[in-house]
Each structure stands twice: as C-alpha cells, then as structure tokens.
Amino acid sequence: MDSSVHVPATASSARPALARRAARHRLLVALAVVAGALPPLVGNGYFYDVAILVAFNAVVCVGLNLLIGYAGQVSLGHAGFYGLGGYGTALLASKYAWPSLLALGAAAAAVALIAFVVARPILKLRGHYLAMATLGLGIIVSIVLATEDRITGGPDGMQVPPLAVAGVAVSGELAWYAIAVGTLLAAVWIASNLVASPAGRALRALHTSEVAAQVAGIDVARYKLLAFVLSAALAALAGGLAAFHAGFVTPATASFLRSIEFVTMVVFGGMASTAGAIVGAAVLTLLPQVLTALRDYETIVFGAILVATMIFLPRGIVPALARLARGTRWMR
Amino acid sequence: MDAVTCLRVDGVTKSFGGVTAVDDVTFGIDGGVVHAIIGPNGAGKTTLINLLSGVYRPTRGRIVFDSRELTHAPAHAFGAAGIARTFQTPQVFGNMSVVENVMTGRHRLLRHALWPTLVHARSLARAERDSRAHAQALLRLLGLADQAEASPAALSFGAQKRLEIARALASEPALLLLDEPAAGLNATEAREIGRVIRHLAERGVGVVLVEHDMRLVMGVSDRILVLQDGRCLCEGSADDVRNDARVIDAYLGAGDGHA
Ligand SMILES: Nc1ncnc2c1ncn2[C@@H]1O[C@H](COP(=O)(O)OP(=O)(O)OP(=O)(O)O)[C@@H](O)[C@H]1O
Ligand SMILES: [Mg+2]
C-alpha cells in the first residue's frame, strides 16, 4: 500500500506527521514553560498554595476528561475515588507506616482495582442512569468514610504523616510545587498519548455511535472500562498527594460537591480537550480564592457556571476559543 | 480470499414483538462474489444486514463465518472477524476528522496493548503513520482525499456515504455489507460506487449489496436474493432472478413500469 502512494501524497502526509507530533507535545511544553515562569514572577506563599491545589485538581480533570469529554460517559462520583486515594494513602502511611511513595502507589492501584470491579455493572448503564449510578457510588464512599470512624477517624478525618522520598521528608513550597506540576505533566503526557492512539479514537468513536464503533471491531465495554479505571486511578493519585500535602484527610474530600466541581471544571474548560481540562481546573479553583465574597455561595456559583456553559458554550471555553482563532478549520 | 463459502446464514429469523422482520432466510456468500439483496420498503433488508453484522441477535437460526460460529457473538466480534458494513443513514464519527474516521475503521488490525499506548511507543507511532497513509489511499479511492482533514459534518450526504465505505474498507474486510450505498447519490457517483464494488470483488472480497437502484444492482451483482415481508422470495444468479416471474410480478415489474 505504501509503495503505491505517489510522491506528492507522501510529501504532503509527512508534514502533518511532524505537525501532529508537535501538537501532541505543544501542550506539555506550554504547561512546563508557564509552570516554570510563574514562581519567579509571583512566587509568594499564597501563590504556591493555590497553584498546588490547581495542579491536583487538574490531574483529576485530565483523567475525568478522558471519560466524560472523549468517551462521553458522565461520572458524578469521581470525588469518591479522589477521597479513597487520600484515605488509602493516609491509612497505609500512618497506621501501617508504609514508605510514602509505596503507600501512594498502592492506594492508587487499589482504587483502580475497585473501579475495575464496580465498572462492569455501572458502565452497562447509559446517560442519566450512568450519572445516577456514579452519583450513588460517590455518596456511598463519602458515607463510609464518615461513619467507619474506627478506621477513618469519622467526620473529623485523620492525620497524614509528611511525604518522604527516599527517606527524606519533602518540605517547602517549591518542592511541593515541583511534585504537583510534575505529576500534572505526567498525567497530560499519558492522556495525550492515549488520545492520539487507536484507543483514543475508539473512545471518541463510541461517544458518537456505539453501533458504528462496534461494527468497526471496537469492544466498547472494554474502552469505557479503560477510561473509567484510568480516570479513577488519576483521581486517587491526586487525592493521595493532596492528603500528604494537607497533612490530613476529611470525608469532605470525597463529597458529592467535590464530584460536581470536577465535572464543572471539565465541562467549563472544554470536553475532549486536555488543555481545556487544565484551564477549567485553574479557573474554577482560582475563582473562589479571588472572589472570597462568593465563598459562601460556592455551590450556587459552580451550578450556575455549569448551566451557563452548557447553554452558551456547549463545547467549553478552550475549544470555543481555539475554533475562533482558527476560523473554520476543524480541530479536536 | 479463495472462493470458499465465507458466510453461511441458516434459517435466520428476527422478530420484534409481533413483527417478523426476517423470516427463515438461508443463503451463503462467497469471497469475490457480489450478492445483492433487493425487495420493497420494509421487506427486512436492513434487519438482515443488522443480523449479518451482529447488531441484532437472531431470534432463530445460525450465522457461521469462515467456519466460526458467530450466532451469539457480540457485534464487535463480527467486525473483528472481518465483516465490515455501512449504514443506510450514515453514522460517521462527528468528533474526529475524515481521515481519523477511516483510521478508526482499521481498529481490528491495529495494536491496542495498554503500555505502548500510554507511552506512545515507537512501534505504535510507526503503525499510526502506516494506518494514516492507508486511510489516505482509501480516501483517494473514494474521491475524498481533499477533505481528509475536514470534519465529516461538513461533507454532503453522498460524501458521508462514501466516507463510510472508506471506513469499512480500512479493516481490509473479507465481507462487506453495504446498505443502500447509492441512495442520495447522483448517477455519476452511483457508477463510481459500482466500479469500487467490482474492484473489491475482483480482489476476493465478498460484497452484500442492499440497493434500490436497479441499474447498479444489475450492473455489478453476481447473485441476487429477493426479500418480501421478511421471506426469501427467490435467490439465484442475476440472470435467473431477472427472469423469474414471481420477481417480475412482485418487484421488478413495478420498478420497470415506472422507469
Ligand atoms: N428495531 C425494530 N423494532 C421493531 N420493528 C422493526 C425494527 N427494525 C425493523 N423493524 C420492522 O421490520 C420490518 C423490516 O424493516 P427493515 O428496516 O429491515 O426494512 P428494509 O427492507 O430495510 O426497508 P427500506 O427499504 O425502507 O430500508 C419493518 O416492518 C420495520 O418496521
Ligand atoms: Mg433499509
């Protein structure tokens, strides 16, 4: 087949190949540049606190976007996985005194396993039913975390020992900033790779037409499962790191409201856009910080943003801007 | 690719509640043969295609492909086994470019191991480049090369139907099921589709052609099955069916009268 492709066609398909690779890395580079440039410019303690929070939320959203934005499967329960990641890490690191990174990895793996087990029945559901089932799952997790007080400390939560890497305790804002940004970069790299692969196309295909995807040989259940488990693992990882960073975990980390926040970030930033997921996480993490007067009405504000985005910018802010910038050209 | 029977359909029936859309149909399709299925509206043609592609499970009967029992297999197993299809109403993937639509059709021939996917391994990158080149060649075959990077939503109905054919061909199928590929196309485009169908048959692909355009059917088909009310009215070589009194009465007669 290749040998029959005549010269002009080969030449014209070589350039987009390079352009595509550049596109896959552009976000990664842009993110690294921004993250590197910010500390010298605005590097006060408050900046680091917020930036670390943004990065953790963005890790969750980059994963959740694979599920919601690309595969089109809505989850209203991902804070459950975030909370389980936090508590799992806290338990292993404190009660069992596991090394930090081992506790973190084991907790994320355990949450991935839980997601794998519950996914089978849940992902058979569609639309509202799937949303309801994931909602229920998240609520169950937060109730268990709040009531099993012998293990979890109940509503008061539990302490988490400081993160130690190779026996050295991580301290200082810059170190934490580097860890948070590094984790986000890794998540973006993995998500971009997935999106640009046959698996990524399978996710987008089943989003538009499950039947057309199936007759192309795509096992839709398998790919929904992949997106679900991967997004759960990333949420758990972010939850575990956030627990180390905060020094404690509470059931609120797994609350329904957190799940709604994550979904709002993904939808606002732009579904099926990894850059959008990060922008959504950044804007909606910053908003309550900047507008402190709104803090009491946070839930209402998030709800209003979600509704307004769905009505006025159904593609989300980043794809809408990109479309504007590129005129009529098609883009992801 | 040899002229062995590649698909056997044995007494297949599909009922929806009280309606029997396909009723005890038996036939076989060989590689390299163009097998038309004709019949009036509501005869059960699309339902039969849905059965042959695993979208519907038969109420009774068996479907065997390349001596593999597929009767109870899920739809993706039909696709993975080398049965590709198009839809009467195009179902293109609106959230990716035209060329990516075609690459998606190649899914069964691509690697999807998790680790190479997540780290974008070199082998995967190479396979992706090949798959894109292959998709672009198919777009040229179907006259869509200029729209490769466009959104399929920007394509005309006829172009979307051709895109579906390109997507189906990307899997290098042994059997291709086409549900009214010429509907909505002009005469030139329909002839072009006929040329593509013959080209595929010469390369050993079995083609099932559901079509109302009798000129196209008579021009490309080796065998014809006539469906009426879900039943097989008759089945045979194109010449036999053309001269069958029952067919002329039930279907062709009316069509010729209008023409
Ligand atoms: N999912 C379904 N549920 C109930 N009845 C159905 C379903 N699919 C098809 N039918 C019925 O089965 C019969 C055959 O329909 P089918 O679509 O297979 O006909 P067709 O030969 O493809 O017609 P056309 O030429 O109009 O495309 C019709 O009476 C139709 O109403
Ligand atoms: Mg039909």
Side-chain angles (χ1 to χ4, degrees), chain A residues 46 50-51 54 265 280-291 295:
Chain A
Y46 182 62
V50 177
V54 167
M265 288 168 182
V283 171
L284 295 185
T285 307
L286 283 171
L287 196 67
Q289 308 284 338
V290 178
L291 304 174
R295 204 165 284 175

Side-chain angles (χ1 to χ4, degrees), chain A residues 20 193 201 204 209 332, chain B residues 91 95 100 118 128 132:
Chain A
R20 266 189 307 280
N193 287 343
R201 284 194 299 274
R204 280 181 282 163
S209 168
R332 303 198 170 129
Chain B
Q91 297 206 22
N95 54 355
E100 285 175 315
L118 295 184
E128 282 291 278
R132 190 172 283 265

Side-chain angles (χ1 to χ4, degrees), chain B residues 40-47 49 88 179-180 210 212:
Chain B
N41 291 117
K45 305 181 296 296
T46 296
T47 305
I49 295 266
Q88 187 166 349
D179 197 350
E180 304 200 12
V210 168
H212 286 293

Side-chain angles (χ1 to χ4, degrees), chain B residues 141-142 157-159 161-162 165 178 180-199 209-221:
Chain B
L141 179 69
L142 274 304
F157 184 83
K161 298 219 85 160
R162 282 181 283 136
I165 296 177
L178 301 170
E180 304 200 12
L185 304 197
N186 63 36
T188 322
E189 289 174 322
R191 257 201 312 281
E192 219 20 53
I193 296 293
R195 193 184 56 82
V196 171
I197 291 173
R198 280 316 320 175
H199 168 80
L209 172 66
V210 168
E211 188 49 68
H212 286 293
D213 180 342
M214 278 307 127
R215 191 178 308 176
L216 176 60
V217 168
M218 291 308 169
V220 302
S221 306

Side-chain angles (χ1 to χ4, degrees), chain A residues 1-2 9 20 24 189 193-194 196-198 201 204-205 208-209 211-212 214-215 217-219 223 226 330 332, chain B residues 76 79 87 91 93-97 100 103-104 107 110 112 114 117-120 128 132-134 140 151:
Chain A
M1 185 64 50
D2 274 327
R20 266 189 307 280
R24 206 158 42 81
W189 184 66
N193 287 343
L194 182 74
S197 76
R201 284 194 299 274
R204 280 181 282 163
T208 357
S209 168
V211 170
Q214 280 171 323
V215 302
I218 293 167
D219 182 348
Y223 284 96
L226 171 66
W330 171 252
R332 303 198 170 129
Chain B
H76 65 83
F87 295 87
Q91 297 206 22
F93 304 127
N95 54 355
M96 55 179 102
S97 68
E100 285 175 315
M103 291 166 78
T104 306
H107 189 83
L110 301 176
H112 343 95
L114 186 57
T117 294
L118 295 184
V119 302
H120 201 78
E128 282 291 278
R132 190 172 283 265
H134 182 260
R140 277 196 294 281
S151 162

Side-chain angles (χ1 to χ4, degrees), chain A residues 63 72 81 113 118 125 134 147 149-150 152 160 165 168 172 177 194 205 211 217 223 235 250 255 272 290 301 307:
Chain A
F81 298 127
L113 188 66
V118 298
L125 305 171
T134 50
T147 52
D149 46 8
R150 272 181 309 131
T152 65
V160 187
V165 179
V168 184
Y177 181 72
L194 182 74
V211 170
Y223 284 96
T250 66
S255 70
V290 178
V301 171
V307 171

